[in-house]
Amino acid sequence: EPEVTQTPSHQVTQMGQEVILRCVPISNHLYFYWYRQILGQKVEFLVSFYNNEISEKSEIFDDQFSVERPDGSNFTLKIRSTKLEDSAMYFCASSVSRAYNEQFFGPGTRLTVL
Amino acid sequence: GQQVMQIPQYQHVQEGEDFTTYCNSSTTLSNIQWYKQRPGGHPVFLIQLVKSGEVKKQKRLTFQFGEAKKNSSLHITATQTTDVGTYFCAGAGGGNKLTFGTGTQLKVEL
């Protein structure tokens, strides 16, 4: 069964450093998403991406964040200058279409900012 | 902004007992989805409800979408230890963005 993959599974970084989280969505999916989940809390939407551009973003997704689909398979989330409060699990997800948007989540990347 | 609340926050049941979690949105939803997250895992899609008043069943799980499309519930009949996890509702307001609820953590004891 096709699945969303994410790398790395765990990333430790120093405050102020840049990180890039990588995702490979399911191959025939057209919509891509990033969510984050602070330990023990709910899943929070960051951004959705379709047709090589951002379609929606939350207030969390400020200028420190950016997304890119550099080739036909990868979807990346960059945090330019990490803060302590960016420590969380980051999930990538993808869905087939807008009309039926069952979202398939990857296993997540745990980001720890020291 | 849109807020989605769930109650209860935690529920401990004995195996075989029923379980219900309730989800309420501050705004009308175009559809609602339910996800299950096992401890240490990622959200896994369970179902999507689109129509006002819709009821769907998956084996021991029954999902309802309210008439006003602002609330939903998930009921599990005769819980099993495999049902352990956190159940999230997630509302779509019109775009593809999902606003997740606060979640209900279910623990099932033998």
Side-chain angles (χ1 to χ4, degrees):
Chain A
E1 186 173 322
E3 57 184 20
V4 176
T5 59
Q6 289 185 245
T7 54
S9 57
H10 192 185
Q11 174 92 50
V12 181
T13 190
Q14 295 291 324
M15 190 170 55
Q17 294 296 303
E18 174 183 287
V19 294
I20 298 176
L21 310 183
R22 291 182 166 79
C23 167
V24 178
I26 295 173
S27 61
N28 64 332
H29 286 190
L30 301 177
Y31 290 81
F32 315 117
Y33 314 85
W34 283 101
Y35 292 87
R36 79 173 187 190
Q37 186 177 33
I38 294 168
L39 187 62
Q41 298 187 22
K42 67 177 182 178
V43 178
E44 298 177 289
F45 170 81
L46 294 178
V47 65
S48 61
F49 191 85
Y50 169 72
N51 200 25
N52 283 320
E53 59 183 28
I54 291 173
S55 48
E56 291 183 85
K57 62 181 180 179
S58 72
E59 54 277 6
I60 302 169
F61 194 88
D62 61 22
D63 292 343
Q64 293 299 312
F65 292 87
S66 62
V67 289
E68 195 177 31
R69 188 156 164 81
D71 53 43
S73 59
N74 289 284
F75 179 51
T76 63
L77 173 69
K78 181 192 290 186
I79 310 176
R80 287 189 184 80
S81 178
T82 50
K83 308 183 187 85
L84 295 176
E85 54 265 34
D86 292 328
S87 294
M89 181 73 88
Y90 288 80
F91 292 108
C92 173
S94 67
S95 65
V96 171
S97 69
R98 181 184 177 90
Y100 188 76
N101 63 335
E102 167 190 349
Q103 297 187 17
F104 291 81
F105 281 73
T109 293
R110 179 166 298 285
L111 176 65
T112 302
V113 182
L114 303 176
Chain B
Q2 180 183 52
Q3 292 187 5
V4 181
M5 303 296 293
Q6 281 181 255
I7 56 169
Q9 187 176 3
Y10 303 99
Q11 183 84 61
H12 290 200
V13 299
Q14 296 289 320
E15 190 177 42
E17 292 182 337
D18 292 354
F19 159 77
T20 304
T21 172
Y22 299 92
C23 172
N24 285 285
S25 169
S26 59
T27 58
T28 302
L29 302 168
S30 62
N31 69 74
I32 195 155
Q33 300 180 20
W34 284 90
Y35 290 80
K36 177 182 178 181
Q37 186 176 29
R38 292 184 183 276
H42 58 276
V44 175
F45 175 83
L46 295 175
I47 209 157
Q48 177 175 268
L49 303 169
V50 179
K51 299 176 185 175
S52 169
E54 189 169 14
V55 177
K56 286 189 176 180
K57 292 190 177 185
Q58 286 180 352
K59 297 183 180 177
R60 296 179 293 104
L61 278 60
T62 302
F63 304 84
Q64 290 189 313
F65 199 11
E67 294 291 340
K69 300 184 76 172
K70 293 181 73 174
N71 62 297
S72 182
S73 65
L74 158 60
H75 179 82
I76 302 178
T77 303
T79 54
Q80 299 174 358
T81 55
T82 52
D83 295 326
V84 164
T86 300
Y87 292 84
F88 291 99
C89 62
N96 277 36
K97 167 188 172 181
L98 287 179
T99 300
F100 275 73
T102 47
T104 296
Q105 185 178 349
L106 173 64
K107 292 191 175 179
V108 181
E109 297 169 358
L110 291 171

